Amino acid sequence: MKNEEILADRLRESVGRFVRVTRAHADSLSGPHTSTLGLLSREGDATIAALAQRRGVRHQSASRTVLELQDLGYVRRRPDPADGRAVLVALTEAGREAVEADRRARRDWMAGAIAVTLDADERRQLEALPGLLDRLAAYDDGQG
């Protein structure tokens, strides 16, 4: 195995573990709820079909999640101005507040972990990581 492949495996495993631990310590919503609200927050109003496609789930699953979020008061449905037959799912103010509370909880947990676990030199090293991950995420090998 090449060095890049070994590093890729280690990075994938570490990032996955970090995401899981952060969610376990900070998320107040279920995974499907967090994912759907996050998509709506980042990308704006969407149809259920678009949410299902972006989340990689079946339409039926996305529809159930939207219904649950609607019951919680976090989303509402509204007519699509571009297509009178379609319905868009939109965040409510309560939904925006729930997303922000979740993000704050994750940030606060991470900040605490960084402050307690890493020394000043390690924190400086960590500062480069977001930029490096953004560059890797932007890489397009023609298959995506």
Side-chain angles (χ1 to χ4, degrees), residues 84-114:
R85 300 165 298 164
V87 174
L88 294 174
V89 178
L91 277 179
T92 63
E93 187 57 35
R96 272 187 271 291
E97 290 171 8
V99 169
E100 286 308 311
D102 235 36
R103 288 177 179 161
R104 252 190 328 275
R106 289 180 196 190
R107 181 199 61 218
D108 293 349
W109 180 84
M110 281 187 225
I114 289 168

Side-chain angles (χ1 to χ4, degrees), residues 117-129:
T117 307
L118 304 179
D119 64 31
D121 187 50
E122 290 169 325
R123 286 192 297 272
R124 277 191 295 279
Q125 291 175 44
L126 190 61
E127 288 175 7
L129 189 57

Side-chain angles (χ1 to χ4, degrees), residues 29 36-38 40-41 44-46 66-78 88-101:
L29 301 167
T36 300
L37 291 174
L40 292 169
S41 174
D45 301 355
V66 166
L67 185 58
E68 292 166 357
L69 291 169
Q70 191 172 351
D71 288 346
L72 291 167
Y74 292 160
V75 300
R76 65 179 173 81
R77 296 173 196 239
R78 67 176 186 85
L88 294 174
V89 178
L91 277 179
T92 63
E93 187 57 35
R96 272 187 271 291
E97 290 171 8
V99 169
E100 286 308 311

